[in-house]
Structure formats: structure tokens, C-alpha cells
Amino acid sequence: MTGSDIDFRLIYLAIPLSCLAGAILAGLLGWKIGRVGAHSVTILGVAIAFALSAFVVLPDVLAGNVFNGPVYTWGVSGGIPLEVGFQIDPLSALMMTVVTFVSLMVHVYTIGYMHDDPGYQRFFSYIALFTFSMLMLVMSNNFLQLFFGWEAVGLMSYLLIGFWFTRPTATFAQLKAFLVNRVGDFGFLLGIAAIYMTFGTLDYGAVFAIAPQAAAKTIQVFPGADWNLLTLICILLFVGAMGKSAQVPLHVWLPDSMEGPTPISALIHAATMVTAGIFMVARMSPLYELSETALSVVLVIGALTAFLMALVGIVQNDIKRVVAYSTLSQLGYMTVALGASAYSVGIFHLMTHAFFKALMFLAAGSVIIALHHEQDMQKMGGLRRRMPVTFLTAWVGSLALAGIPPFAGFFSKDMIIEAVRESHLPGSGLAYVAVLSTVFVTAFYTFRLLFLTFYGKPRMDEHTYKHVKESPWVVTVPLVLLAVPSFAAGFMTIDPLIFGGYFADSIKVLPAHDVIREIGEHYQGVAPFIAHGLQSAPFLLAVAGFGLAWFMYIRYPFLPGQIREKAGAIYTLLLRKYFVDEFNQFVFAGGARALGGLLWKIGDVKLIDGLAVNGTARVIGWMSAIVRRVQSGYVYHYAFAMILGLFLLITFFLHR
Amino acid sequence: MLAEHVLSLAIFLPIMGGVAVLATGGDRNADYARQLSLAVAVLTFLATLPLYTGFNAGVHEMQFVEDYAWIDAFRVRYRIGIDGISLLLILLTSFSTVLVVISAWKVIDKKIAQYHAAFLVMEGLMIGVFSALDGILFYVFWEAMLVPMFLIIGLWGGPNRVYATIKFFLYTFLGSVLMLVAMIYLYFKAGSFDILAWHGLKLGLGAQKLIFLAFLAAFAVKVPMWPVHTWLPDAHVEAPTGGSVILAAIMLKMGAYGFLRFSLPVLPDASHDLAWLMIALSLIAVVYIGLVALVQEDMKKLIAYSSIAHMGFVTLGFFIFNAQGIEGGIAQMISHGFVSGALFLCVGVMYDRLHSRMIKDYGGVANRMPIFASFMMLFAMANAGLPGTSGFVGEFLVILGSFQVNVWYAFAAATTLVFGAAYTLWMYKRVLFGEIGNDHVAELTDATPREIVFLTLLAVAVLVMGLWPYPFLDVLHASVEHLLQQANVSKL
């Protein structure tokens, strides 16, 4: 081991621990160090983490240095060590940089957004702790720690959605989020158990190394039905990803999570935690590559999510909910990329989306505070002159989200669509149609949001409108800093990231699935890519979506109302989000309570206690009441009994 | 001299201490009683520490063994010693007793000396159960332990305490009698009450099965396993806080410990033969009881049901016969000691202020008791098995272990991820979150320094075990490996 090796291990440790230290200080000593103290220590911690990730670890990884080693042994069971350790390679280094960058922006923004909140210190402690959890998740070199980070970000999300714990809607949403995530984790944990059974270790490297030999193993789940073990593992793990990355049908928690303060929506429910599932599947590419069935499942679920959730986005009026449904749809895109074996493209979209979606959320938040916590777009409008910085950055975010070249979203989204077209898996045809039509829907809801918020006549009351002013610098500076990569991250990074082999060995694709190579054969650089993009179907669809939004919300603003009346059934279906919430509430939540009540009142109280326990007591009481009569106290009764007994005994012995 | 009798010291120090506390007399000397009890509890805890530091984790043989003649006519001996399994449970016992003494400081205001004495005597008896290596000695400790608990519920309990105590006593006593019969049978077969000799005793399958069922009657009631669990919610509801803590943290572990000390090594063939039954009952406990816990309206009942579900994990782990299962089960026992103890103490903290255990009488407590709410959130999450807390360790290992045996065992067990979170956090939400529920809640004051002390001790335990279970698991390996060997070699 060389000297520089040791230094780097300390750096790796310092990245999550600086966030943790900030969280502990702000959390336990918040009352002492005050508001300024709390945000200073946490921002310092995250800033250190970002600086080390972006300027030390990332260049080092680019120079070809990777690291994989334990930090400490968590425990040993059955002779197999379970460790906490780091794997630093291109994939994790990129994730660390994105996570810490967005987190840093959100920290600064929070100073402005939460300015008047009594829970200021608690909030900073939570978001720093969240950053720590997310870093532990992406830096992990084993499944145990992955699960730690996995559940820890779930916990932080729970705490932050319910940050305003006196609001019934918030505490409902937080519980729902945690439980739905737990359903996903249920599959995830079983997947980990299956890995442990198959490979006898939880270490990524060891598992990936022997995975090809396990490709043909089967397991009998139902009698007579042999399932491919790796397929089972991959699907179980993906159930976890469906929870965290909010894929249909486990998506229900994400829109409700908007009950949390807006900075959280940006950090957790757009840029980081929800990407954990995407990251996980990319990390597990050596396993997923071995199971085409699992890849097909991933592909179809992603496509359904992308399309169905985008549709819901067009009827929502709460500005944050529109962005939330957009997040769901974009997560679907990423999942589609994974299913098509274009893992690097999935991560690419994860990165560009992290920038422009954080930007969209923070811009929405800026509007919300300017209007004193009004979130209904029907009470907005005409804000463009009053809030120029928010307005312009929101334009950048919208263009990126709608996939207009040369903004960042264009590159990643176009690559996903190309990748699906090249894919030969079952379901790829459906997925292609879905992602293509979603482009149109995306552009429509994006510009609907933009137009309703910033254009047209102001629809709030006059007093509010008069007092609308641009947000303070702690809010606008993060907006601008996020707008830069939302614009530039696409054309700056597509060459190295996708076609330059940045990910190297951290992502594994079998030659038969290698859609990127096929696309790469036609790829001649950024400018031709844009030129080609301008003539392709996705661009035309995006423009059409933009046009329709303009037509309906600027040119003829009375149209939406008329359409709503004409298409009542479809409108209701979308507005009620396909009635999934009602279904879950009735069948699962209600069903579990009803069953629990039944088991308790009938099983425990009536049968076990009533019949068996107290029943026994009653029977004994009843029997002793009878037996008691024998003890009458009269000598002749006893004498008679003795004679009878004697007679019986003699009979018995004589006839034996 | 002392070094040879560390274990006996741990048993008799609290018993003698308890008698001394009793000697302080009536409630006029309450302060002496409290201070003396705390001193005895802390000293006992310190006295159990050398058991850990002096423990050789590399060997499976019993350590700190003491062996003296007791009743020569029946070859009954005073024979004690510990392996890694008993070691952890003894430490848990001495740790929990300290907490109970602190928690009772201001709350118990009548018959103070008697209350503390009961707990101290019980502590010694419980340590005795975990270290006895002679059948009769085990039985004596096992039964004697019931008496102080009976008194604690019966004297300091709630309004329905008589029904609860009688139910508790009859249930446990009935089971124990059958255990005694089994022990006497083993005595005639082996010629002694030496438990370790029983481990090597050859037995036919029929005999093994009968003995197994006799032991099962005793252990299943104590754990408790479905369907002999209904005494526990009643006992918990009526017991004072300290009684609930010891009941949940230690007394439930006796049954599980019995499986490891008797059923598996003495009756390996019956254990394997009847494993299906044990696994079925365990999984029913996890799923059925998990659902029942969901609809409870009384916080103590809810935690009691949650305890039964968590103990289902323990018995499941034991009867899948692999290292992950057994070590996971033991880890679950220790963690459950911390977490359920902590939750009962939390309910106690609120009960002392509002005199209600009903969920509906609360709401928005976090507004008035933020520090307390933070602690309780940690314990609630630990109860839901969140990684990083002790609650995760056992559940994780047992699920890993059971998947290797049968996918469906793991599937059913893993439902606790959802149920456990649902009933715990739903209760938390209704009690602590929301607007202030009523005028009584509005008058609540946050945790006092005394309460913060015991909550902090438990929080540290929960976190240390969750983040670094290594020192807990490390002392188990040799003992568990040996146990597995015994359990997997046929005696036929």
C-alpha cells in the first residue's frame, strides 16, 4: 500500500462523515449554536463533501484509479463477514458529485425558503443526514450497506415529508411514503437474501465475479415450477427499485410527498433519493445482463410509468404536483433506459434530470414563497415581470425537461429513445411507442405550467400581486447555478459519458444487448447529433406539445374549461390518478385493518380467551360443582360409595 | 476468591441487596430504599461486566463454572456456568434492572422498598436461570422468579390486576409443571440432573417427542407463542411500567433460552421432526399477531402484541437450524430487550403525566415534548427494524437464514417489514403528531433529566448494536456452532 492510497481512504471517509458531523451538530446542539450556526456547519460539511467529490475523487477516478475496500466489519455470521465498505469507481464518483452538488444548492436555498420556520435547525440537520445516507448508499461496495443507505434515505424522506407534523395531510403522506417504500424494501430484502443464498456473500465484487456461473441455476418457488434464480433475484431487487424510484404501481407515495417543504421536494423527491433505484439497477448491471426476462420487466414497467404518469401531469393544478408527476414520468424514462441495457444512458438522464428537476422545483418554490405559500396555478399568472430571475431559470428548466436541443434533457432523452428503438427485448416495441408519445405529453404539461404561472393575466388578488417580488439571493443564486448545468450538462458530457467509455468496468453490458455501440456507429459528435435531432420525431412531437400548450393557455385560455366538460370521464380518471389511491386505501389499508380486527376479536378474544382459556376455567368450575355434591357430609353416603367401590374392584379383579 | 465466584456474585448480590432494601422498612425511608436499590443495581451491572471481559469467545465450553453438592440424595448440584448465549442475556438483565430502578424513582410512591426489593430479587433469580447447569437448580430459579413478578403486577398493577395475575400465573405454572415431569424423566434416564449430561444422552424418537412437547408447554407460554399468548397483553396492560419492562425485556427470553438450552441439544431428532410445527407457529405469530397489533387502541397492548410478533422471529430463527437463524434469533432477543423495554418506558413517561394508555387520549404530543418525541421516534424505528438500529440485526439475519431453507418462510417473515412499520408508526402518528389533541396534552411537559438519562442509555444501546453488532455476535459464534452440531447429530 502506497502513501497516496491511505490518503484517499481518508478522503473517502471524510466525504460522508463531514455531512454526518454537520447533521449531528445541527441536530443535537441546534438550540445552542442557533440558526446561523446550524446552517453554517451543515453547509460547510456538504461543501467539503462536494469539493472533495468533484475536485479530488472525480479527477482521480478519471485518471483510472478505482478503490474497493472495507471500512469496518459490521458483524460475522455463519463464518461470513458482513462489512461496511466503499467502492469508488466512475459510477459512484459521478453519483457522489451530483448528489453533493444538488444538496449544496438546496442547503443554500433553504436559508431563504425556511427563513421563518421554527424548525430551522431540525431541518438542516435532516437534510445533512439525508445527504450522508445517500452518500453511504452510492459509495457502498456491498448489499448490506446498500440496504442501510436504502432504508436510511427512506427514513429521512419520512421525517422530511412530515416535517410540518401538525398537518394531518403531511403525517398521512409521510406514513404512506414509508409504508409504500417498505413494500418495495420487502422485495429488496428478499432479493438480498436470495443473493446470500446463491453466492454465499454480499460483496458486490465477489457476487459479480461468480454471477455468470450461476446463470443457469433454478429454484422451485411453487412445486413443479422451476424459476431461473437470477431472474428471481433481479426482479426482487427491482421491486425495491420500484418503491424507491416510484415506478407503477408503487408510485403512489411520490405525489403525496409534496406535503414536505419544497427544498425537500427538490433534493429528495427529484434529484437524489428517487434515483437510488436507478443507480442500484445500473450498479447491478452484471446481474441484470444475465436475465433477459428481468430486463423486459424493467423495460415495460418503466415505459408504463413514463406514459401514464405524464398523462396525470397535464390535469394537475398544484404547481408542485405537476412537477412531481413529471418526476415520475422522467424516472420511467430512466428505467426504460436500464431495461434496454443502456445503463450509462439511464445514469446520464439521472444526472441531467437531477439538475433541471431540482431547478424546476426550486423555481416553483420561489414562486410559492413569493405568493405566500400559494401552490394553485389557477391563482398565479403574469409573474414574469415581477420575478425575472425565477422566470428565466424556469424557462431553462422547462426547455431541458421538454427535451429541446441543445438543453441537457434533449441529449439524455433522445439517447433513451434511440436505445429503446435498438433494443430487441420482448416489450421494446411497446416501450418505444410509450416513450415517444410521452415526449409530446411532457412538452405539453411543461409549457402549460410555465404559461399558467408566468404568462397571462395575474389571477391572484390585487394585494398579493402588488407585493410579489423576486426572491432573495440565497434563493436565486442556486437557481442560476442549477440553470447552468441544465443548459450545458448535455453537450458537455455526452461524448465522454456515453461514447467515451467513462463508466469503464463499473457498468457491464453483454455484446448482444449493447445498444449504445449500435448507436455509436452513427454518432459523429455533438453538432451532427443536434442537427439530426432537429429533424427527428421526438423534436417534432415536443414542438407540437409546446404549440398545443400555447394554443390552449395563451391563445385561447377558455379552451381547457370546455374540453374538461366534454371529456369528463377521462378528465376524472386522470384527476383521480386512475383511482389507485382509492384502491390501495380500501383494499390494502382497509383490508389489513379489517383482518386484524377479525383476528383479534374472533381469534384472540372469542376463541382463545373465551373458549379455550375462560372456557376451561368454566368447565372446571362446573365439574367441581358436581363433584362437590358427593361430599355431602352424611356418613351413609360415604359408606355406600365405599361399598360400591369395593364391589367394582372385586368384579374387576375376578374377571381379569 | 472473588474471581472464582463472579457468577454467583451476580446471582446473589442483587438477591441479598433486595433483602437489604426490604430492611429499610416503610415508606418513611423511601429515599434510602431508592438510593440503596440504585447502588445494588449498578453494582450488579458492574459485577456482570467481568463476565464479558473475561469471556473466551473462542471456545464453546461453559465458562465461569462453579459446581458444589447441594442435595446429594438426588444428585442435585449447585452447578452454574455460562456460554455466549447466557452471557448476553445476563448482561441484558443487569442492564435492564438499572433502568427499571431509575424509572421507578419518582413514579412509585407506595411500598417503595418492597417494589425495588422485588425487582432486585427477581434480577438475581433471572441471572440464575440463565446460568443454571443443573435441571433442578434451573427449575427452582425458573419458578421462584414468578413470585416477585406476581407480586409486582398484583400489588402495583392496574384495576384489572387480579384477573391478569391469575391468568399469568396459571398459564406459566401449568407449562412449568410439565417441564418438571420431563426433567424427572431425564433424571431417571441419565442418572443426574446435569444439563450437559442430558445433551449427550441417547433417546428414542418417541421419548424425544414427548419430552419436546412437555418442554414446549413451558417455553411456548413464556415466549409466548401463538396460541398461548393471550396472557401477555393482559399482564402488560395491568403491570406497572417497570414490570412491563422486565416482563418484555427478560422474562419472555426465558422461553426462547429454554429452546436453546434444552430442546435443541437434548432432543435433536424431535426438534427436527417437529420443526414444521415450530416454524408454522412462529410465522403465525409474525403475520397474525402483526395484523392484530395494527388494530389495538391501547398503547401497551399494541407493544405487547408487537413483542409476540418479534418473538416469532426468534423461534423461527431457532428452528431453521443454521447459524444465521440462531444467531439472528439471539440478536433479536437482545434487541427486543432494548427496544420493547424502551417503548414501555416511553408509554410510562406519558402515562405518568396523563394517566391513560389509550391512543385516542393523545395527539400532538410532539408539540409539547419534542425531546421525548425524538427518543420515541428512534425506538419506534428500531421496533420497525430500521437498519442502523438493533432491531434490524436479528430480523436481517433470520430472513437471510430462512431464505436458505425455504423461500416462503422468508417471504412470510419479511412481511414484518410492512406490518411492523405500519402498526408502530401509525401509533406514533396518532399519539405524537398532529395538532395538540386536547387540554391535557396541552399541559404536558417534556422529559425530565431523570427520564432523559434512561432514554439515553437505551438509545445508545440501540444504536451501538445497530451500527456495530460485531461485539454482540462475536461471543456467540463458538457457542452457536457447538449448539448446531448437537442439534444436527441424530441421537437415535
Side-chain angles (χ1 to χ4, degrees):
Chain A
M1 189 179 291
T2 64
S4 70
D5 251 1
I6 297 168
D7 293 345
F8 263 93
R9 277 169 46 170
L10 287 178
I11 288 170
Y12 301 143
L13 263 181
I15 290 172
L17 290 186
S18 59
C19 298
L20 181 64
I24 292 175
L25 283 174
L28 295 185
L29 298 176
W31 54 278
K32 196 162 189 183
I33 58 179
R35 298 183 157 228
V36 178
H39 74 230
S40 304
V41 288
T42 49
I43 289 177
L44 182 70
V46 177
I48 291 172
F50 169 65
L52 289 176
S53 307
F55 305 120
V56 182
V57 174
L58 196 60
D60 183 57
V61 167
L62 280 172
N65 295 322
V66 293
F67 172 83
N68 185 353
V71 176
Y72 73 91
T73 303
W74 183 76
V76 180
S77 190
I80 298 163
L82 303 166
E83 287 175 330
V84 169
F86 293 149
Q87 174 163 2
I88 309 299
D89 62 2
L91 181 57
S92 43
L94 182 69
M95 288 296 292
M96 286 155 66
T97 309
V98 172
V99 168
T100 50
F101 174 67
V102 177
S103 175
L104 184 60
M105 293 300 108
V106 168
H107 271 75
V108 174
Y109 178 92
T110 302
I111 299 176
Y113 193 88
M114 300 298 282
H115 190 260
D116 306 320
D117 200 284
Y120 194 78
Q121 288 95 321
R122 181 163 61 100
F123 191 86
F124 273 98
S125 170
Y126 283 176
I127 52 177
L129 197 56
F130 167 77
T131 314
F132 164 76
S133 311
M134 190 69 195
L135 285 170
M136 290 304 280
L137 190 160
V138 297
M139 292 168 79
S140 167
N141 74 346
N142 65 80
F143 289 92
L144 175 75
Q145 187 183 336
L146 177 70
F147 192 69
F148 262 73
W150 195 262
E151 290 266 278
V153 294
L155 167 73
M156 296 322 295
S157 158
Y158 167 84
L159 291 174
L160 283 161
I161 295 170
F163 184 76
W164 289 312
F165 59 79
T166 52
R167 298 185 186 174
T169 47
T171 54
F172 177 81
Q174 76 173 153
L175 188 59
K176 178 174 172 184
F178 197 81
L179 291 184
V180 173
N181 266 293
R182 269 289 167 109
V183 173
D185 297 348
F186 165 80
F188 196 61
L189 189 57
L190 288 178
I192 292 175
I195 285 171
Y196 188 78
M197 179 189 75
T198 316
F199 301 104
T201 171
L202 290 180
D203 187 73
Y204 291 163
V207 169
F208 297 160
I210 29 180
Q213 286 129 47
K217 275 195 189 172
T218 56
I219 182 170
Q220 265 204 350
V221 178
F222 296 101
D226 280 332
W227 289 8
N228 183 290
L229 194 51
L230 273 181
T231 300
L232 181 71
I233 289 174
C234 288
I235 289 179
L236 284 173
L237 291 177
F238 183 64
V239 171
M242 285 162 69
K244 277 282 168 304
S245 291
Q247 300 294 303
V248 171
L250 296 183
H251 65 282
V252 289
W253 64 273
L254 187 67
D256 283 16
S257 74
M258 296 302 130
E259 291 295 334
T262 304
I264 288 320
S265 310
L267 177 61
I268 297 190
H269 305 124
T272 48
M273 165 182 159
V274 292
T275 59
I278 311 295
F279 163 79
M280 187 274 292
V281 176
R283 181 53 101 197
M284 300 307 142
S285 58
L287 298 181
Y288 279 87
E289 278 303 295
L290 297 170
S291 168
E292 291 206 346
T293 317
L295 283 175
S296 264
V297 170
V298 174
L299 189 65
V300 171
I301 296 275
L304 286 177
T305 308
F307 183 65
L308 294 176
M309 294 302 119
L311 282 184
V312 178
I314 61 180
V315 299
Q316 299 296 319
N317 284 322
D318 182 320
I319 186 167
K320 277 177 77 181
R321 289 204 176 233
V322 176
V323 189
Y325 278 101
S326 145
T327 303
L328 284 169
S329 169
Q330 298 299 310
L331 287 166
Y333 268 103
M334 295 175 214
T335 309
V336 166
L338 301 172
S341 289
Y343 306 98
S344 56
V345 176
I347 297 293
F348 182 37
H349 195 54
L350 184 161
M351 178 185 77
T352 60
H353 175 260
F355 297 137
F356 66 70
K357 190 50 65 66
L359 172 59
M360 288 299 281
F361 262 119
L362 296 187
S366 174
V367 170
I368 291 168
I369 21 177
L371 297 177
H372 302 291
H373 292 274
E374 178 58 69
Q375 305 199 359
D376 189 347
M377 291 196 297
Q378 286 169 320
K379 294 180 182 155
M380 296 180 182
L383 293 175
R384 64 185 188 280
R385 293 187 203 292
R386 295 276 170 152
M387 312 183 68
V389 180
T390 307
F391 169 63
L392 285 175
T393 50
W395 254 106
V396 174
S398 301
L399 289 169
L401 173 57
I404 307 293
F407 290 83
F410 159 73
F411 293 92
S412 48
K413 194 177 288 182
D414 225 41
M415 281 301 298
I416 292 174
I417 295 168
E418 291 287 317
V420 181
R421 195 164 68 172
E422 299 292 339
S423 172
H424 308 297
L425 290 176
S428 59
L430 171 95
Y432 181 65
V433 175
V435 290
L436 205 56
S437 31
T438 307
V439 173
F440 171 75
V441 186
T442 307
F444 178 72
Y445 70 65
T446 307
F447 290 105
R448 173 177 175 266
L449 181 150
L450 197 69
F451 295 155
L452 278 177
T453 311
F454 293 101
Y455 288 83
K457 290 202 183 79
R459 290 179 298 276
M460 70 287 298
D461 60 70
E462 211 168 299
H463 174 78
T464 315
Y465 185 68
K466 265 190 189 153
H467 289 85
V468 169
K469 57 176 193 295
E470 184 59 274
S471 302
W473 70 269
V474 282
V475 171
T476 52
V477 166
L479 289 179
V480 173
L481 287 179
L482 282 166
V484 173
S486 297
F487 172 66
F491 58 77
M492 299 270 290
T493 58
I494 183 170
D495 269 338
L497 223 50
I498 305 299
F499 299 109
Y502 166 80
F503 287 106
D505 294 333
S506 60
I507 283 174
K508 188 168 185 291
V509 183
L510 293 185
H513 298 160
D514 200 347
V515 289
I516 304 292
R517 205 196 56 232
E518 288 176 43
I519 301 169
E521 283 166 8
H522 310 292
Y523 180 80
Q524 289 146 342
V526 171
F529 190 79
I530 294 176
H532 176 258
L534 287 172
Q535 306 156 23
S536 67
F539 177 69
L540 298 176
L541 284 167
V543 171
F546 170 83
L548 186 66
W550 178 82
F551 193 74
M552 282 176 62
Y553 292 95
I554 293 195
R555 190 71 186 83
Y556 301 107
F558 56 85
L559 261 181
Q562 292 183 347
I563 296 174
R564 206 177 302 156
E565 279 165 26
K566 293 264 161 57
I570 297 177
Y571 176 75
T572 313
L573 184 70
L574 291 181
L575 193 67
R576 304 295 290 273
K577 303 156 277 185
Y578 312 107
F579 295 95
V580 179
D581 276 335
E582 285 80 358
F583 178 81
N584 288 342
Q585 192 66 28
F586 183 74
V587 175
F588 292 115
R593 277 203 302 270
L595 191 59
L598 209 68
L599 292 175
W600 182 36
K601 298 276 187 202
I602 305 292
D604 270 26
V605 176
K606 280 243 167 67
L607 290 179
I608 297 178
D609 262 1
L611 212 65
V613 179
N614 298 344
T616 310
R618 263 199 303 278
V619 168
I620 290 177
W622 175 70
M623 281 185 9
S624 47
I626 293 175
V627 175
R628 198 170 54 214
R629 287 174 195 212
V630 178
Q631 302 185 354
S632 58
Y634 297 112
V635 177
Y636 56 88
H637 281 176
Y638 296 160
F640 176 68
M642 279 167 69
I643 292 166
L644 198 69
L646 201 63
F647 177 72
L648 283 174
L649 273 178
I650 291 167
T651 320
F652 178 73
F653 280 112
L654 285 179
H655 291 271
R656 202 160 58 135
Chain B
M1 165 64 190
L2 203 61
E4 291 162 27
H5 300 291
V6 193
L7 200 51
S8 285
L9 185 70
I11 297 173
F12 290 103
L13 180 63
I15 295 180
M16 299 300 177
V19 173
V21 169
L22 210 52
T24 60
D27 285 350
R28 280 173 295 120
N29 298 328
D31 280 340
Y32 293 124
R34 291 189 181 112
Q35 285 157 11
L36 186 60
S37 318
L38 185 63
V40 173
V42 171
L43 276 177
T44 310
F45 178 63
L46 294 177
T48 53
L49 287 182
L51 297 176
Y52 188 90
T53 50
F55 189 80
N56 180 359
V59 298
H60 69 76
E61 277 86 11
M62 291 292 165
Q63 302 179 37
F64 302 99
V65 174
E66 296 171 42
D67 189 358
Y68 303 100
W70 184 21
I71 309 171
D72 268 340
F74 299 102
R75 267 162 288 173
V76 173
R77 300 181 69 81
Y78 175 81
R79 189 187 340 239
I80 54 174
I82 56 170
D83 60 1
I85 302 165
S86 348
L87 171 65
L88 289 182
L89 289 165
I90 290 174
L91 286 170
L92 180 67
T93 310
S94 60
F95 177 71
S96 305
T97 307
V98 176
L99 298 176
V100 165
V101 172
I102 302 176
S103 78
W105 204 266
K106 288 248 167 68
V107 182
I108 298 296
D109 50 7
K110 55 172 203 247
K111 304 199 189 76
I112 293 147
Q114 289 87 331
Y115 182 84
H116 284 104
F119 276 103
L120 290 173
V121 170
M122 191 160 58
E123 177 187 14
L125 296 172
M126 291 187 298
I127 294 177
V129 170
F130 292 131
S131 32
L133 292 179
D134 181 279
I136 292 298
L137 187 64
F138 179 89
Y139 187 77
V140 167
F141 281 132
W142 175 277
E143 292 291 13
M145 184 183 73
L146 284 179
V147 178
M149 189 44 113
F150 187 80
L151 293 176
I152 287 163
I153 302 178
L155 288 177
W156 291 271
N160 199 17
R161 56 183 183 260
V162 175
Y163 174 74
T165 36
I166 290 184
K167 199 170 176 183
F168 164 70
F169 193 83
L170 284 184
Y171 251 118
T172 45
F173 189 73
L174 218 67
S176 312
V177 169
L178 289 171
M179 175 171 81
L180 183 63
V181 174
M183 283 182 167
I184 291 170
Y185 180 88
L186 287 170
Y187 166 74
F188 283 120
K189 280 281 170 190
S192 83
F193 281 105
D194 181 0
I195 295 174
L196 297 182
W198 294 351
H199 287 182
L201 185 66
K202 291 263 181 221
L203 285 166
L205 186 59
Q208 280 196 35
K209 276 189 182 173
L210 285 175
I211 302 172
F212 185 91
L213 292 174
F215 275 125
L216 178 63
F219 301 151
V221 166
K222 270 269 166 42
V223 167
M225 298 178 80
W226 186 89
V228 287
H229 64 280
T230 57
W231 63 271
L232 186 73
D234 284 325
H236 269 308
V237 166
E238 300 306 326
T241 302
S244 286
V245 171
I246 293 299
L247 192 57
I250 319 293
M251 215 163 262
L252 302 192
K253 310 305 171 332
M254 304 275 166
Y257 175 79
F259 285 123
L260 296 182
R261 188 60 77 228
F262 296 97
S263 306
L264 291 186
V266 180
L267 317 158
D269 303 289
S271 299
H272 276 276
D273 233 48
L274 293 170
W276 64 270
L277 175 71
M278 303 303 293
I279 291 170
L281 294 181
S282 308
L283 291 177
I284 289 175
V286 173
V287 178
Y288 173 116
I289 300 294
L291 284 167
V292 171
L294 199 59
V295 293
Q296 296 306 311
E297 288 142 11
D298 179 321
M299 288 190 273
K300 269 191 152 181
K301 261 197 180 165
L302 194 151
I303 302 168
Y305 275 109
S306 149
S307 287
I308 303 168
H310 282 93
M311 291 306 287
F313 258 88
V314 175
T315 44
L316 172 65
F318 290 170
F319 284 89
I320 53 178
F321 303 104
N322 56 37
Q324 285 82 26
I326 294 184
E327 291 184 358
I330 298 167
Q332 176 83 339
M333 283 159 75
I334 304 300
S335 160
H336 178 261
F338 296 145
V339 176
S340 67
L343 284 174
F344 279 119
L345 283 168
C346 283
V347 174
V349 166
M350 290 189 284
Y351 183 84
D352 294 340
R353 289 165 171 70
L354 225 84
H355 299 288
S356 169
R357 296 178 313 262
M358 290 309 189
I359 292 174
K360 66 174 165 44
D361 292 339
Y362 291 84
V365 172
N367 291 296
R368 285 285 175 265
M369 308 178 70
I371 297 174
F372 169 76
S374 314
F375 277 111
M376 190 158 169
M377 173 52 74
L378 173 69
F379 300 132
M381 282 295 169
N383 202 43
L386 192 84
T389 66
S390 61
F392 171 70
V393 183
E395 288 184 8
F396 179 66
L397 290 176
V398 171
I399 288 173
L400 283 194
S402 55
F403 199 100
Q404 296 174 42
V405 180
N406 187 319
V407 178
W408 293 107
Y409 296 168
F411 182 88
T415 55
T416 192
L417 243 64
V418 182
F419 294 146
Y423 59 69
T424 315
L425 297 180
W426 193 34
M427 172 186 84
Y428 189 93
K429 167 180 178 266
R430 286 177 292 166
V431 172
L432 287 117
F433 285 153
E435 297 284 357
I436 290 173
N438 55 48
D439 295 346
H440 298 296
V441 174
E443 287 163 13
L444 288 176
T445 50
D446 209 342
T448 63
R450 182 183 58 85
E451 289 163 342
I452 290 177
V453 167
F454 62 71
L455 292 174
T456 305
L457 286 174
L458 279 163
V460 170
V462 163
L463 285 173
V464 166
M465 185 173 172
L467 294 172
W468 197 43
Y470 185 88
F472 293 84
L473 297 175
D474 192 44
V475 292
L476 290 177
H477 298 316
S479 307
V480 168
E481 204 175 310
H482 178 64
L483 176 64
L484 270 173
Q485 271 169 16
Q486 291 176 320
N488 287 333
V489 174
S490 172
K491 281 186 169 182
L492 299 179

